[in-house]
Amino acid sequence: MSFVETLNVKSIKELAIREKRVFIRTDYNIPLDNEGNITNINRIERTLPTIKHALEHNSRIILASHLGRPDGERDPLYSLEPIATILAEVLERDVFFFEDCVGMGAQQMVRDIKPGQILVLENLRFNPEEKKNSMTFARELAKMCDVYINDAFGVSHRKDASVNALPSLVDTKGMGLLMKKEIEELSKLIGLKRGDGFYSIIGGSKVLDKITIIRPMLEVVDRIMIGGAMAYTFLAAKGIKLGNSKVEEDKISIAREIIRGAEARGVDLLFPVDHVAAKTFDSTETEIFSNDNFPENMMALDIGPETVKMYVEKLEGCKYVLWNGPMGVFEKDQFAKGSLALAQAVASLDAHTVAGGGDSVSLMKKAGVKDMFTHISTGGGASLEFLKNNTLPGIDALR
Ligand code: AMP
């Protein structure tokens, strides 16, 4: 029996959806730039198999998602209307949009759509009840579903109303095809133990988020390579201060605890030895410094060439990789080299390579290796929590 089968959750392919109102919770929390322009439509594309399956069965398709953190208030910057437009373009058919996700107007729209038509509802998080897992809000959403499908892997670690409360009110429910694929690929990392050649590469900026990842990983991985801004808090914990680089002072003691935990378990926890540095985020002039000669007035913004060389060498013996977060500010070319070089090295390994997190797709695309990874997860936090607990609140709610 495969891991997915043990979950006892039906997939959309096993449900009677013909001409039914199929409410699909998607994760259209796509990256936006500072002006609110969509920078990457990967999360939209990844839901197409589920939508196409529903179209083949002439379902009445209702798509609901959150976007950004509008904090329960209507904010045009986070409207889902542009997503409806993109869907219409990629599917080459009309896609309707309604300016709310609940209420009489939304219900009327749902009544009006015909088999084979698609309706996108407005951002679920414009309603404060969504984040509160409110049963009242879920009841409003339930009025619009004959069938509930969760295809929003990236948000299924959250107990939000559309992910957790809503499915408990709908009899016919299951997972979408993206959700199923995420579970299938990630479950190949479940049950690994030390000695199996499981390595992890962790970067990005938020120390606390990443600590929650690293802690359980210490029990199963052989090696962890750290990069990104959070590396500087770890280096500070080891007494290495890097000029103006970003250090989260209040997390230094947790970093110390992780370092001790790795030592106690024999996990090879690696840190950068050199850095691409600049005066500010916007500088285009960069210089390389090692941990020993880092100047006061500079900040580290990428891992340096010696670190890349060491990390690439240390990939030897690797059978499984879990990558979460970039090694530097890869969005800017002058600070992208470290992430790109390591991504290319990982992609060419003969190993089961998984990357997760909102940025991962953009990074792997920039490195030209998006299709060379075994799996790129649409969920960063969700993939890690899934590996820790072997399930998620959004999966449990589908039983
Ligand atoms: P996270 O969401 O925690 O995975 O962080 C991703 C972000 O970390 C990216 O947008 C990077 O630009 C940023 N980042 C990575 N390395 C650094 C660094 N050295 N200094 C500042 N920000 C960084």
Side-chain angles (χ1 to χ4, degrees), residues 98-344:
F98 189 71
E99 63 198 20
D100 208 341
C101 59
V102 286
M104 302 296 274
Q107 285 172 36
Q108 187 59 49
M109 276 298 276
V110 169
R111 269 194 295 275
D112 287 348
I113 59 165
K114 310 217 159 33
Q117 289 185 331
I118 301 173
L119 169 67
V120 175
L121 298 174
E122 186 53 290
N123 194 335
L124 291 160
R125 286 195 191 163
F126 284 178
N127 194 312
E129 303 297 301
E130 164 70 353
K131 285 299 300 166
K132 293 183 191 151
N133 203 15
S134 150
M135 207 39 107
T136 316
F137 181 56
R139 267 188 215 106
E140 286 300 305
L141 293 171
K143 289 179 186 164
M144 296 182 279
C145 344
D146 295 327
V147 177
Y148 170 88
I149 297 295
N150 183 347
D151 213 19
F153 178 78
V155 73
S156 288
H157 57 316
R158 307 257 184 240
K159 281 197 174 167
D160 291 353
S162 63
V163 172
N164 197 252
L166 172 58
S168 70
L169 301 171
V170 186
D171 289 336
T172 310
K173 58 198 164 201
M175 59 188 158
L177 302 177
L178 169 61
M179 174 72 108
K180 185 164 181 233
K181 172 121 178 80
E182 291 274 11
I183 296 171
E184 278 167 356
E185 294 301 334
L186 289 167
S187 64
K188 291 177 189 156
L189 300 178
I190 290 176
L192 295 177
K193 44 191 189 317
R194 202 154 2 269
D196 288 341
F198 184 8
Y199 294 11
S200 180
I201 298 171
I202 304 186
S205 61
K206 291 167 238 115
V207 175
L208 200 59
D209 283 12
K210 308 294 168 164
I211 298 281
T212 47
I213 305 166
I214 299 174
R215 224 184 243 131
M217 248 176 211
L218 291 178
E219 309 302 332
V220 291
V221 297
D222 293 314
R223 179 168 283 155
I224 303 179
M225 303 179 204
I226 304 273
M230 60 147 200
Y232 317 133
T233 302
F234 278 92
L235 289 173
K238 288 163 75 80
I240 300 168
K241 172 99 177 63
L242 301 177
N244 290 330
S245 308
K246 187 177 167 188
V247 170
E248 293 184 49
E249 298 286 342
D250 58 333
K251 308 284 164 9
I252 291 180
S253 59
I254 315 180
R256 239 180 239 127
E257 179 209 313
I258 296 283
I259 293 169
R260 277 198 298 266
E263 271 165 15
R265 292 166 180 80
V267 176
D268 192 16
L269 183 59
L270 299 169
F271 299 103
V273 292
D274 66 342
H275 312 270
V276 178
K279 292 236 161 59
T280 69
F281 272 94
D282 298 319
S283 316
T284 45
E285 272 175 45
T286 61
E287 273 186 81
I288 309 293
F289 295 103
S290 73
N291 286 347
D292 311 322
N293 69 355
F294 205 96
E296 285 289 314
N297 63 341
M298 304 279 273
M299 60 205 290
L301 292 157
D302 189 13
I303 54 172
E306 281 304 313
T307 308
V308 172
K309 188 162 165 273
M310 170 182 74
Y311 281 6
V312 170
E313 281 168 12
K314 293 278 187 181
L315 287 172
E316 205 194 320
C318 168
K319 298 274 184 296
Y320 303 86
V321 181
L322 184 64
W323 178 317
N324 186 294
M327 298 290 102
V329 184
F330 78 99
E331 296 91 339
K332 301 192 180 211
D333 291 346
Q334 64 272 36
F335 308 123
K337 284 197 195 77
S339 300
L340 301 189
L342 195 58
Q344 284 153 359

